[in-house]
Amino acid sequence: MGLPIDPVVTMETKNKGGARDALNEIRQTNKAKVVIMCMSSILIGGEYQKELLLAALDMGMVADGYIFIPYDALLYAMPYQDIIFPLLTNNTQLRHAYSAVLTVTMASDESFYETFRQAQITREIRSAISATEVSPLFGTIFNMVYFVAKSVEERRQAGGGHWVTGSQLFNSEGGFDFKGFNQVKTHEKEHFY
């Protein structure tokens, strides 16, 4: 899309200064203001992201207007209603550092966790694990697989029942809704990538 993407920086995790070294490299890059963090989010236990963000706060990069985008947020959205993230609640410094993180939220008829609990009650999901210990990625994977299956079926029917290729799938006409794990999904052609 013509956006400049530069450089790829590796954060060393074996030494204490790895986060600072990576951030210094980013800081020295001319006009870089957006950092995509290819590591697990602190919201689901990512220790390295915590280390990176706290170093960025200490180095003044949060105040300088750098925007940090969690890679996982490009893949799925975090629920935000009726959700408490204890890691941020109990750490003022980390909460301040996390203010530089661009997050993606999703509107939904039900919260992810309530939907998960209901699926446990109806025995659709056979697990005794607490819903709050489950990553919201679970629901997004379910939605994605079902979404692709519906798109394949739409293309199969449009092609007279023939085998569907990747390029045909990309050209899906859409025009369908389906009940996702915890929200209704709509497929319109311009939104399918």
Side-chain angles (χ1 to χ4, degrees):
M1 302 185 90
L3 293 171
I5 298 174
D6 223 25
V8 175
V9 177
T10 301
M11 176 181 143
E12 290 297 326
T13 57
K14 292 182 180 173
N15 62 51
K16 282 283 189 194
R20 285 182 174 279
D21 292 345
L23 290 169
N24 274 326
E25 201 170 325
I26 291 166
R27 184 184 260 167
Q28 290 168 12
T29 303
N30 190 24
K31 298 181 182 175
K33 281 293 181 184
V34 177
V35 178
I36 298 177
M37 300 178 289
C38 300
M39 53 184 70
S40 296
S41 169
I42 62 171
L43 301 182
I44 56 172
E47 193 61 34
Y48 297 133
Q49 191 177 103
K50 176 182 174 184
E51 183 183 334
L52 184 76
L53 290 172
L54 287 174
L57 178 67
D58 190 50
M59 294 170 66
M61 293 177 77
V62 170
D64 285 347
Y66 282 84
I67 298 168
F68 294 85
I69 301 175
Y71 179 72
D72 47 18
L74 300 174
L75 304 176
Y76 68 95
M78 295 292 289
Y80 68 98
Q81 294 173 325
D82 305 319
I83 303 299
I84 295 171
F85 295 106
L87 194 64
L88 296 178
T89 304
N90 299 326
N91 188 329
T92 306
Q93 194 176 22
L94 186 57
R95 191 167 54 247
H96 185 59
Y98 201 79
S99 68
V101 176
L102 178 67
T103 55
V104 179
T105 58
M106 63 181 180
S108 179
D109 298 332
E110 300 178 59
S111 80
F112 168 83
Y113 299 110
E114 182 56 35
T115 302
F116 187 85
R117 278 190 215 97
Q118 288 300 329
Q120 284 178 313
I121 291 167
T122 61
R123 309 279 293 156
E124 182 181 349
I125 294 174
R126 297 172 187 264
S127 171
I129 192 167
S130 166
T132 55
E133 294 179 47
V134 178
S135 169
L137 180 58
F138 166 81
T140 304
I141 291 171
F142 175 90
N143 290 343
M144 179 200 62
V145 169
Y146 195 35
F147 183 84
V148 171
K150 292 283 277 186
S151 298
V152 167
E153 181 58 16
E154 183 269 325
R155 284 288 84 197
R156 192 186 69 75
Q157 288 180 7
H162 296 282
W163 185 260
V164 177
T165 66
S167 60
Q168 289 170 319
L169 184 60
F170 179 77
N171 292 319
S172 173
E173 292 298 321
F176 60 79
D177 294 341
F178 69 90
K179 175 95 170 76
F181 182 73
N182 65 318
Q183 63 186 156
V184 174
K185 299 287 187 183
T186 300
H187 173 26
E188 298 171 13
K189 183 177 171 115
E190 64 270 22
H191 296 302
F192 187 67
Y193 300 102

Short mmCIF file of all heavy atoms in Angstrom, two decimals, residues 43-97:
data_model
loop_
_atom_site.label_atom_id
_atom_site.label_comp_id
_atom_site.label_asym_id
_atom_site.label_seq_id
_atom_site.Cartn_x
_atom_site.Cartn_y
_atom_site.Cartn_z
N LEU A 43 -0.79 -8.69 27.89
CA LEU A 43 -2.14 -8.99 28.38
C LEU A 43 -2.40 -10.49 28.43
O LEU A 43 -3.33 -10.94 29.10
CB LEU A 43 -3.19 -8.30 27.52
CG LEU A 43 -3.10 -6.77 27.46
CD1 LEU A 43 -4.23 -6.21 26.62
CD2 LEU A 43 -3.09 -6.16 28.86
N ILE A 44 -1.59 -11.26 27.71
CA ILE A 44 -1.74 -12.71 27.77
C ILE A 44 -0.43 -13.36 28.22
O ILE A 44 -0.10 -14.47 27.85
CB ILE A 44 -2.24 -13.31 26.43
CG1 ILE A 44 -1.32 -12.92 25.26
CG2 ILE A 44 -3.67 -12.89 26.15
CD1 ILE A 44 -1.66 -13.62 23.96
N GLY A 45 0.33 -12.59 29.01
CA GLY A 45 1.51 -13.16 29.66
C GLY A 45 2.84 -12.94 28.99
O GLY A 45 3.82 -13.58 29.34
N GLY A 46 2.92 -12.02 28.02
CA GLY A 46 4.17 -11.79 27.31
C GLY A 46 5.17 -10.99 28.13
O GLY A 46 5.06 -9.77 28.24
N GLU A 47 6.14 -11.66 28.69
CA GLU A 47 7.14 -11.03 29.56
C GLU A 47 8.07 -10.11 28.78
O GLU A 47 8.47 -9.06 29.27
CB GLU A 47 7.94 -12.12 30.29
CG GLU A 47 8.77 -11.60 31.43
CD GLU A 47 7.96 -10.94 32.55
OE1 GLU A 47 6.84 -11.38 32.84
OE2 GLU A 47 8.48 -9.97 33.13
N TYR A 48 8.42 -10.48 27.53
CA TYR A 48 9.35 -9.67 26.75
C TYR A 48 8.71 -8.34 26.34
O TYR A 48 9.37 -7.31 26.29
CB TYR A 48 9.85 -10.43 25.52
CG TYR A 48 10.65 -11.65 25.87
CD1 TYR A 48 10.41 -12.87 25.25
CD2 TYR A 48 11.63 -11.61 26.85
CE1 TYR A 48 11.14 -14.00 25.59
CE2 TYR A 48 12.36 -12.73 27.20
CZ TYR A 48 12.12 -13.92 26.57
OH TYR A 48 12.84 -15.04 26.92
N GLN A 49 7.41 -8.37 26.05
CA GLN A 49 6.74 -7.13 25.70
C GLN A 49 6.71 -6.19 26.90
O GLN A 49 6.89 -4.98 26.77
CB GLN A 49 5.31 -7.38 25.20
CG GLN A 49 4.70 -6.14 24.58
CD GLN A 49 3.34 -6.40 24.01
OE1 GLN A 49 2.34 -6.04 24.61
NE2 GLN A 49 3.28 -7.03 22.85
N LYS A 50 6.50 -6.75 28.07
CA LYS A 50 6.54 -5.96 29.30
C LYS A 50 7.91 -5.30 29.44
O LYS A 50 8.01 -4.10 29.71
CB LYS A 50 6.25 -6.85 30.51
CG LYS A 50 6.35 -6.17 31.84
CD LYS A 50 6.09 -7.16 32.97
CE LYS A 50 6.32 -6.54 34.32
NZ LYS A 50 6.15 -7.52 35.41
N GLU A 51 8.97 -6.07 29.24
CA GLU A 51 10.33 -5.55 29.35
C GLU A 51 10.58 -4.44 28.34
O GLU A 51 11.15 -3.39 28.67
CB GLU A 51 11.30 -6.71 29.11
CG GLU A 51 12.76 -6.36 29.27
CD GLU A 51 13.68 -7.54 28.95
OE1 GLU A 51 13.25 -8.71 29.08
OE2 GLU A 51 14.82 -7.28 28.54
N LEU A 52 10.12 -4.63 27.11
CA LEU A 52 10.31 -3.64 26.05
C LEU A 52 9.57 -2.34 26.38
O LEU A 52 10.13 -1.25 26.25
CB LEU A 52 9.85 -4.20 24.71
CG LEU A 52 10.09 -3.28 23.51
CD1 LEU A 52 11.56 -3.32 23.11
CD2 LEU A 52 9.23 -3.70 22.33
N LEU A 53 8.31 -2.46 26.79
CA LEU A 53 7.52 -1.26 27.07
C LEU A 53 8.04 -0.48 28.27
O LEU A 53 8.05 0.75 28.26
CB LEU A 53 6.05 -1.65 27.27
CG LEU A 53 5.32 -2.11 26.01
CD1 LEU A 53 3.94 -2.65 26.34
CD2 LEU A 53 5.23 -0.99 24.98
N LEU A 54 8.47 -1.19 29.30
CA LEU A 54 9.03 -0.49 30.46
C LEU A 54 10.34 0.22 30.10
O LEU A 54 10.60 1.33 30.57
CB LEU A 54 9.24 -1.47 31.62
CG LEU A 54 7.95 -1.92 32.32
CD1 LEU A 54 8.25 -3.00 33.36
CD2 LEU A 54 7.21 -0.75 32.96
N ALA A 55 11.15 -0.41 29.22
CA ALA A 55 12.37 0.25 28.75
C ALA A 55 12.02 1.48 27.91
O ALA A 55 12.66 2.53 28.04
CB ALA A 55 13.22 -0.73 27.93
N ALA A 56 11.00 1.38 27.07
CA ALA A 56 10.57 2.52 26.25
C ALA A 56 10.10 3.67 27.14
O ALA A 56 10.38 4.84 26.87
CB ALA A 56 9.46 2.09 25.30
N LEU A 57 9.38 3.35 28.21
CA LEU A 57 8.94 4.37 29.16
C LEU A 57 10.14 5.03 29.81
O LEU A 57 10.23 6.27 29.87
CB LEU A 57 8.03 3.74 30.22
CG LEU A 57 7.53 4.68 31.31
CD1 LEU A 57 6.56 5.71 30.74
CD2 LEU A 57 6.83 3.88 32.42
N ASP A 58 11.09 4.24 30.26
CA ASP A 58 12.28 4.75 30.93
C ASP A 58 13.12 5.61 29.99
O ASP A 58 13.75 6.58 30.42
CB ASP A 58 13.10 3.57 31.46
CG ASP A 58 14.22 4.02 32.37
OD1 ASP A 58 13.94 4.81 33.30
OD2 ASP A 58 15.37 3.61 32.15
N MET A 59 13.14 5.28 28.70
CA MET A 59 13.94 6.02 27.72
C MET A 59 13.21 7.24 27.16
O MET A 59 13.73 7.94 26.30
CB MET A 59 14.33 5.08 26.57
CG MET A 59 15.28 3.97 26.98
SD MET A 59 15.50 2.72 25.69
CE MET A 59 16.35 3.67 24.42
N GLY A 60 11.97 7.48 27.62
CA GLY A 60 11.22 8.64 27.16
C GLY A 60 10.54 8.46 25.82
O GLY A 60 10.02 9.42 25.25
N MET A 61 10.53 7.26 25.29
CA MET A 61 9.94 7.04 23.98
C MET A 61 8.41 7.08 24.01
O MET A 61 7.78 7.36 23.00
CB MET A 61 10.44 5.72 23.39
CG MET A 61 11.93 5.76 23.06
SD MET A 61 12.59 4.19 22.44
CE MET A 61 11.98 4.22 20.75
N VAL A 62 7.83 6.80 25.17
CA VAL A 62 6.37 6.91 25.31
C VAL A 62 5.97 8.37 25.23
O VAL A 62 5.04 8.75 24.51
CB VAL A 62 5.90 6.26 26.64
CG1 VAL A 62 4.45 6.56 26.91
CG2 VAL A 62 6.14 4.75 26.59
N ALA A 63 6.70 9.24 25.94
CA ALA A 63 6.42 10.68 25.92
C ALA A 63 6.74 11.29 24.55
O ALA A 63 6.15 12.29 24.18
CB ALA A 63 7.23 11.38 27.02
N ASP A 64 7.68 10.68 23.81
CA ASP A 64 8.06 11.21 22.49
C ASP A 64 7.06 10.86 21.40
O ASP A 64 7.26 11.23 20.25
CB ASP A 64 9.44 10.67 22.09
CG ASP A 64 10.56 11.35 22.86
OD1 ASP A 64 10.30 12.38 23.51
OD2 ASP A 64 11.70 10.84 22.82
N GLY A 65 6.01 10.14 21.73
CA GLY A 65 4.95 9.86 20.77
C GLY A 65 5.13 8.62 19.92
O GLY A 65 4.46 8.47 18.90
N TYR A 66 6.01 7.72 20.31
CA TYR A 66 6.12 6.46 19.59
C TYR A 66 4.85 5.64 19.82
O TYR A 66 4.28 5.66 20.91
CB TYR A 66 7.33 5.65 20.07
CG TYR A 66 8.64 6.15 19.52
CD1 TYR A 66 9.32 7.20 20.14
CD2 TYR A 66 9.19 5.59 18.37
CE1 TYR A 66 10.52 7.67 19.63
CE2 TYR A 66 10.40 6.05 17.86
CZ TYR A 66 11.06 7.09 18.49
OH TYR A 66 12.25 7.55 17.99
N ILE A 67 4.42 4.95 18.79
CA ILE A 67 3.23 4.10 18.89
C ILE A 67 3.69 2.66 18.77
O ILE A 67 4.41 2.30 17.84
CB ILE A 67 2.22 4.42 17.76
CG1 ILE A 67 1.73 5.87 17.89
CG2 ILE A 67 1.05 3.45 17.79
CD1 ILE A 67 0.96 6.36 16.70
N PHE A 68 3.27 1.85 19.71
CA PHE A 68 3.62 0.43 19.72
C PHE A 68 2.38 -0.38 19.38
O PHE A 68 1.33 -0.20 19.99
CB PHE A 68 4.18 0.04 21.10
CG PHE A 68 5.48 0.70 21.41
CD1 PHE A 68 5.51 1.98 21.97
CD2 PHE A 68 6.69 0.07 21.13
CE1 PHE A 68 6.72 2.61 22.25
CE2 PHE A 68 7.90 0.70 21.41
CZ PHE A 68 7.91 1.97 21.97
N ILE A 69 2.51 -1.23 18.40
CA ILE A 69 1.38 -2.07 17.97
C ILE A 69 1.73 -3.52 18.27
O ILE A 69 2.71 -4.04 17.75
CB ILE A 69 1.08 -1.90 16.47
CG1 ILE A 69 0.76 -0.44 16.15
CG2 ILE A 69 -0.06 -2.82 16.05
CD1 ILE A 69 0.57 -0.16 14.67
N PRO A 70 0.94 -4.18 19.11
CA PRO A 70 1.19 -5.60 19.35
C PRO A 70 0.86 -6.40 18.11
O PRO A 70 -0.21 -6.23 17.53
CB PRO A 70 0.25 -5.97 20.50
CG PRO A 70 -0.48 -4.72 20.87
CD PRO A 70 -0.22 -3.70 19.83
N TYR A 71 1.76 -7.26 17.68
CA TYR A 71 1.54 -8.07 16.49
C TYR A 71 0.26 -8.90 16.62
O TYR A 71 -0.49 -9.05 15.66
CB TYR A 71 2.74 -8.99 16.27
CG TYR A 71 2.61 -9.90 15.08
CD1 TYR A 71 2.69 -9.39 13.79
CD2 TYR A 71 2.39 -11.27 15.23
CE1 TYR A 71 2.57 -10.21 12.69
CE2 TYR A 71 2.27 -12.09 14.14
CZ TYR A 71 2.36 -11.57 12.87
OH TYR A 71 2.23 -12.38 11.78
N ASP A 72 0.00 -9.41 17.82
CA ASP A 72 -1.20 -10.23 17.98
C ASP A 72 -2.47 -9.42 17.78
O ASP A 72 -3.50 -9.95 17.39
CB ASP A 72 -1.22 -10.97 19.32
CG ASP A 72 -0.87 -10.08 20.50
OD1 ASP A 72 -0.94 -8.85 20.38
OD2 ASP A 72 -0.52 -10.64 21.56
N ALA A 73 -2.42 -8.11 18.00
CA ALA A 73 -3.60 -7.28 17.77
C ALA A 73 -3.91 -7.14 16.28
O ALA A 73 -5.01 -6.77 15.90
CB ALA A 73 -3.42 -5.89 18.38
N LEU A 74 -2.91 -7.43 15.44
CA LEU A 74 -3.17 -7.44 14.00
C LEU A 74 -3.87 -8.73 13.60
O LEU A 74 -4.44 -8.82 12.52
CB LEU A 74 -1.85 -7.32 13.23
CG LEU A 74 -1.03 -6.05 13.50
CD1 LEU A 74 0.31 -6.13 12.77
CD2 LEU A 74 -1.80 -4.82 13.05
N LEU A 75 -3.84 -9.73 14.46
CA LEU A 75 -4.45 -11.02 14.16
C LEU A 75 -5.80 -11.21 14.84
O LEU A 75 -6.66 -11.90 14.33
CB LEU A 75 -3.50 -12.15 14.61
CG LEU A 75 -2.09 -12.10 14.03
CD1 LEU A 75 -1.24 -13.20 14.62
CD2 LEU A 75 -2.14 -12.23 12.52
N TYR A 76 -5.98 -10.63 16.01
CA TYR A 76 -7.26 -10.75 16.69
C TYR A 76 -7.46 -9.56 17.61
O TYR A 76 -6.53 -8.87 17.98
CB TYR A 76 -7.36 -12.06 17.48
CG TYR A 76 -6.44 -12.15 18.68
CD1 TYR A 76 -6.87 -11.81 19.95
CD2 TYR A 76 -5.14 -12.62 18.53
CE1 TYR A 76 -6.03 -11.92 21.04
CE2 TYR A 76 -4.30 -12.74 19.62
CZ TYR A 76 -4.75 -12.39 20.88
OH TYR A 76 -3.92 -12.49 21.94
N ALA A 77 -8.71 -9.30 17.95
CA ALA A 77 -9.05 -8.17 18.80
C ALA A 77 -9.25 -8.63 20.23
O ALA A 77 -9.78 -9.70 20.48
CB ALA A 77 -10.33 -7.50 18.28
N MET A 78 -8.83 -7.81 21.18
CA MET A 78 -9.01 -8.13 22.59
C MET A 78 -10.39 -7.65 23.04
O MET A 78 -10.80 -6.54 22.70
CB MET A 78 -7.95 -7.42 23.43
CG MET A 78 -6.54 -7.88 23.17
SD MET A 78 -6.25 -9.56 23.71
CE MET A 78 -6.29 -9.35 25.48
N PRO A 79 -11.10 -8.44 23.82
CA PRO A 79 -12.35 -7.94 24.41
C PRO A 79 -12.02 -6.81 25.38
O PRO A 79 -10.94 -6.76 25.95
CB PRO A 79 -12.88 -9.15 25.19
CG PRO A 79 -12.04 -10.30 24.84
CD PRO A 79 -10.79 -9.80 24.24
N TYR A 80 -12.95 -5.89 25.55
CA TYR A 80 -12.66 -4.77 26.43
C TYR A 80 -13.79 -4.49 27.43
O TYR A 80 -13.58 -3.77 28.41
CB TYR A 80 -12.38 -3.50 25.62
CG TYR A 80 -13.58 -2.97 24.87
CD1 TYR A 80 -14.34 -1.93 25.38
CD2 TYR A 80 -13.94 -3.51 23.65
CE1 TYR A 80 -15.44 -1.45 24.69
CE2 TYR A 80 -15.03 -3.04 22.95
CZ TYR A 80 -15.78 -2.01 23.47
OH TYR A 80 -16.86 -1.54 22.79
N GLN A 81 -14.96 -5.05 27.22
CA GLN A 81 -16.06 -4.80 28.15
C GLN A 81 -15.99 -5.78 29.31
O GLN A 81 -15.79 -6.97 29.11
CB GLN A 81 -17.41 -4.94 27.43
CG GLN A 81 -17.61 -3.88 26.37
CD GLN A 81 -18.86 -4.11 25.55
OE1 GLN A 81 -19.21 -5.25 25.29
NE2 GLN A 81 -19.52 -3.04 25.17
N ASP A 82 -16.17 -5.26 30.51
CA ASP A 82 -16.18 -6.09 31.72
C ASP A 82 -14.92 -6.93 31.86
O ASP A 82 -14.98 -8.07 32.33
CB ASP A 82 -17.42 -7.00 31.74
CG ASP A 82 -18.70 -6.20 31.60
OD1 ASP A 82 -18.81 -5.13 32.22
OD2 ASP A 82 -19.60 -6.65 30.87
N ILE A 83 -13.79 -6.40 31.45
CA ILE A 83 -12.54 -7.14 31.51
C ILE A 83 -11.56 -6.37 32.40
O ILE A 83 -11.42 -5.15 32.27
CB ILE A 83 -11.90 -7.30 30.11
CG1 ILE A 83 -12.85 -8.00 29.14
CG2 ILE A 83 -10.57 -8.04 30.18
CD1 ILE A 83 -13.24 -9.38 29.55
N ILE A 84 -10.90 -7.08 33.28
CA ILE A 84 -9.86 -6.50 34.11
C ILE A 84 -8.57 -7.23 33.80
O ILE A 84 -8.53 -8.46 33.79
CB ILE A 84 -10.21 -6.63 35.61
CG1 ILE A 84 -11.46 -5.82 35.92
CG2 ILE A 84 -9.04 -6.19 36.48
CD1 ILE A 84 -11.99 -6.07 37.33
N PHE A 85 -7.53 -6.47 33.51
CA PHE A 85 -6.22 -7.06 33.28
C PHE A 85 -5.37 -6.76 34.51
O PHE A 85 -4.82 -5.66 34.65
CB PHE A 85 -5.58 -6.48 32.01
CG PHE A 85 -6.33 -6.83 30.76
CD1 PHE A 85 -7.10 -5.88 30.10
CD2 PHE A 85 -6.27 -8.12 30.25
CE1 PHE A 85 -7.79 -6.22 28.94
CE2 PHE A 85 -6.96 -8.46 29.09
CZ PHE A 85 -7.73 -7.50 28.44
N PRO A 86 -5.27 -7.73 35.42
CA PRO A 86 -4.59 -7.50 36.70
C PRO A 86 -3.16 -6.97 36.55
O PRO A 86 -2.70 -6.17 37.35
CB PRO A 86 -4.58 -8.87 37.37
CG PRO A 86 -5.69 -9.62 36.73
CD PRO A 86 -5.79 -9.08 35.32
N LEU A 87 -2.47 -7.39 35.50
CA LEU A 87 -1.10 -6.95 35.30
C LEU A 87 -1.02 -5.43 35.17
O LEU A 87 -0.11 -4.79 35.71
CB LEU A 87 -0.52 -7.61 34.05
CG LEU A 87 0.98 -7.54 33.87
CD1 LEU A 87 1.69 -8.31 34.99
CD2 LEU A 87 1.39 -8.11 32.54
N LEU A 88 -2.00 -4.84 34.48
CA LEU A 88 -2.03 -3.38 34.33
C LEU A 88 -2.62 -2.70 35.57
O LEU A 88 -2.20 -1.61 35.94
CB LEU A 88 -2.84 -2.99 33.09
CG LEU A 88 -2.28 -3.46 31.75
CD1 LEU A 88 -3.20 -3.03 30.61
CD2 LEU A 88 -0.88 -2.92 31.51
N THR A 89 -3.58 -3.35 36.19
CA THR A 89 -4.23 -2.78 37.36
C THR A 89 -3.25 -2.61 38.51
O THR A 89 -3.30 -1.62 39.24
CB THR A 89 -5.39 -3.69 37.82
OG1 THR A 89 -6.28 -3.86 36.71
CG2 THR A 89 -6.16 -3.07 38.97
N ASN A 90 -2.36 -3.56 38.68
CA ASN A 90 -1.46 -3.58 39.83
C ASN A 90 -0.08 -2.98 39.58
O ASN A 90 0.79 -3.09 40.43
CB ASN A 90 -1.29 -5.03 40.32
CG ASN A 90 -2.61 -5.63 40.75
OD1 ASN A 90 -3.47 -4.93 41.27
ND2 ASN A 90 -2.78 -6.92 40.51
N ASN A 91 0.12 -2.34 38.43
CA ASN A 91 1.44 -1.79 38.11
C ASN A 91 1.27 -0.45 37.40
O ASN A 91 1.05 -0.40 36.19
CB ASN A 91 2.21 -2.79 37.25
CG ASN A 91 3.66 -2.40 37.04
OD1 ASN A 91 4.01 -1.23 37.01
ND2 ASN A 91 4.50 -3.40 36.86
N THR A 92 1.37 0.64 38.15
CA THR A 92 1.17 1.98 37.60
C THR A 92 2.15 2.29 36.48
O THR A 92 1.78 2.86 35.45
CB THR A 92 1.30 3.04 38.71
OG1 THR A 92 0.42 2.71 39.77
CG2 THR A 92 0.97 4.42 38.20
N GLN A 93 3.40 1.93 36.66
CA GLN A 93 4.43 2.19 35.66
C GLN A 93 4.13 1.46 34.36
O GLN A 93 4.21 2.02 33.27
CB GLN A 93 5.79 1.78 36.21
CG GLN A 93 6.95 2.31 35.41
CD GLN A 93 8.29 1.96 36.04
OE1 GLN A 93 8.37 1.00 36.81
NE2 GLN A 93 9.33 2.69 35.70
N LEU A 94 3.73 0.20 34.46
CA LEU A 94 3.40 -0.59 33.27
C LEU A 94 2.14 -0.04 32.60
O LEU A 94 2.06 0.01 31.37
CB LEU A 94 3.22 -2.06 33.64
CG LEU A 94 3.01 -3.02 32.47
CD1 LEU A 94 4.17 -2.93 31.47
CD2 LEU A 94 2.86 -4.44 32.98
N ARG A 95 1.18 0.37 33.40
CA ARG A 95 -0.06 0.96 32.83
C ARG A 95 0.29 2.22 32.03
O ARG A 95 -0.24 2.45 30.95
CB ARG A 95 -1.04 1.26 33.95
CG ARG A 95 -2.43 1.61 33.45
CD ARG A 95 -3.48 1.61 34.54
NE ARG A 95 -3.16 2.46 35.67
CZ ARG A 95 -2.90 2.00 36.90
NH1 ARG A 95 -2.90 0.72 37.14
NH2 ARG A 95 -2.63 2.84 37.87
N HIS A 96 1.21 3.03 32.56
CA HIS A 96 1.63 4.24 31.85
C HIS A 96 2.36 3.86 30.55
O HIS A 96 2.13 4.46 29.50
CB HIS A 96 2.53 5.09 32.75
CG HIS A 96 2.92 6.40 32.15
ND1 HIS A 96 2.00 7.35 31.74
CD2 HIS A 96 4.15 6.89 31.84
CE1 HIS A 96 2.64 8.38 31.23
NE2 HIS A 96 3.94 8.12 31.28
N ALA A 97 3.24 2.87 30.61
CA ALA A 97 3.95 2.41 29.42
C ALA A 97 2.97 1.87 28.39
O ALA A 97 3.10 2.12 27.19
CB ALA A 97 4.98 1.34 29.80
#
